[in-house]
Amino acid sequence: MTAKIICAGLLAVMTLTACGEDDIILPGVREPIRPGNAEVNQALPISFEAPQLNSSWTHRNGDADHMFPQPVFSTSPTLAFAVDIGAGDSKSARITADPVVAGGIVYTLDALSRVTATTTGGAPVWSVELTPPTDSRTDASGGGLAFGGGRLFVTTGFGRLTALDPATGGTFWTQDLDAPGTSAPTVSGDLVYVVSRDSTGWAIDTADGRIRYQLGGIPSVSSFSGGAGPAVTSDLAVFPFPSGEVVGVFPQGGIQRWSQIISGDRVGEAVAAISDISGDPVIDGDRVYVGNFSGRTVALDKATGDRIWTAEEGATGPVWPAGGSLFMVNDLNELIRLDADTGTPIWRVALPDFVDNGGWLRSKRTVFAHYGPIMAGNRLVVASSDGQLRSFDPRSGALMSSIAIPGGAASTPAIANGVLYVVNKDGQLLAFR
């Protein structure tokens, strides 16, 4: 007992002594503890092709290779219409599909497997429920859309890929994927390519739904709803898997050309434990750009898969290459411009991060999601769940304009004929022109 009293007394004296001392301020330059944030923002010149008037937007980022020419879009957009397309976000269900546009029709997928076709003027065309007869609507959530070969392809959280008649919503065929198919499909030629959440890549005949070939990726226990979909050109199909593995194959036969693991994490962030690919592969010329959710984006050689550079920035969606730069929203909710040759950041702009719902626990904070960016009308456009559609100067990152998105964004926008379409969290399709 005496020893315990002496130790307690010494501890109290040491504590009081420490409290009485002056703080020692060390000399020298203060450096940020987070790597990559020490660079100075630069407003470097940039030149890119003039905006083009496009009539369709068939995939995420516009096309099967996720690389699309800059579309025409107004510098001062206004809300043209808002129409219901089904169930919105809830505690147990999320909208993960971006809208696609073809033939004057906008196709959307709600949080509970309902596909809706709406004219570009906002009039309803048809709506169809894709819940299997043996399941309940609330048993699964998520999925994606793609258009090609005169058909609309839909993946769902029920683990099915369905080919629909774009004019009527009728079903041509359905293929069971044996696991949730929540990432968007990709259509090229006579095949539709899909990645299911059990790390399986699929190439399926668009005509009859028969399996042409399958790829087995490294299994992973860490993934999230949605996920990244394949990118495809005439000579390469890139499959991203939840494990962080990225595999390049010949599109028709599925023979492997190369494989890479996108590894690395953002120290101090909870998402560092997620290995899933979140920045869908983008094929631009002789390069492939792809990023994970936890702090890494890489440039790969298209022919060999060799790594050209690695940026210590995660990607929440596909990058947008333009004018020798890459634009992306990173895992810290920053809009960033990278040098496409080196991966070096040129500028970064903080986007709204979270809203505090009360209390001191971070679990009580709602983290905002930011979708994009898309280069349109010579601006970078980002749709956000905080209820804003923002436009930024690609040269400097300066905010140029902002307009309200009623309900807050739940998807990356699609642009066709100068009109921007985005789905909000309430299950509505909004159009800005």
Side-chain angles (χ1 to χ4, degrees), residues 119-164:
T119 69
T120 52
V125 180
W126 53 258
S127 186
V128 63
E129 174 71 48
L130 294 184
T131 302
T134 57
D135 292 289
S136 168
R137 289 190 71 207
T138 56
D139 288 345
S141 177
L145 302 166
F147 187 97
R151 297 188 175 190
L152 179 69
F153 298 91
V154 188
T155 54
T156 68
F158 290 102
R160 292 186 168 193
L161 170 67
T162 302
L164 298 179

Side-chain angles (χ1 to χ4, degrees), residues 241-405:
F241 293 111
S243 62
E245 184 183 17
V246 180
V247 178
V249 304
F250 288 102
Q252 287 297 314
I255 298 174
Q256 182 171 314
R257 296 180 59 176
W258 49 260
S259 176
Q260 271 279 2
I261 297 291
I262 312 304
S263 61
D265 53 42
R266 179 82 74 174
V267 177
E269 296 291 328
V271 294
I274 301 176
S275 61
D276 206 348
I277 298 296
S278 51
D280 306 52
V282 175
I283 304 175
D284 179 21
D286 60 358
R287 291 191 178 187
V288 177
Y289 301 105
V290 60
N292 66 17
F293 199 66
S294 54
R296 294 295 183 273
T297 295
V298 302
L300 306 176
D301 184 283
K302 177 184 173 183
T304 65
D306 291 341
R307 192 173 300 207
I308 300 170
W309 52 252
T310 300
E312 295 185 352
E313 307 287 349
T316 60
V319 302
W320 190 281
S325 292
L326 299 180
F327 300 95
M328 59 184 281
V329 174
N330 74 359
D331 53 306
L332 298 179
N333 272 350
E334 296 173 326
L335 178 64
I336 297 183
R337 175 186 174 187
L338 302 179
D339 185 307
D341 287 334
T342 65
T344 304
I346 297 172
W347 54 252
R348 64 179 70 235
V349 175
L351 300 171
D353 194 11
F354 60 82
V355 58
D356 198 332
N357 295 327
W360 59 273
L361 292 175
R362 189 172 179 85
S363 61
K364 292 184 177 295
R365 297 170 176 173
T366 300
V367 178
F368 292 128
H370 302 280
Y371 302 94
I374 290 172
M375 179 79 78
N378 295 324
R379 296 184 177 197
L380 294 168
V381 181
V382 178
S384 301
S385 66
D386 72 339
Q388 293 295 314
L389 181 70
R390 297 179 174 89
S391 296
F392 298 86
D393 181 355
R395 176 177 170 272
S396 65
L399 178 65
M400 302 183 75
S401 67
S402 184
I403 183 174
I405 299 178

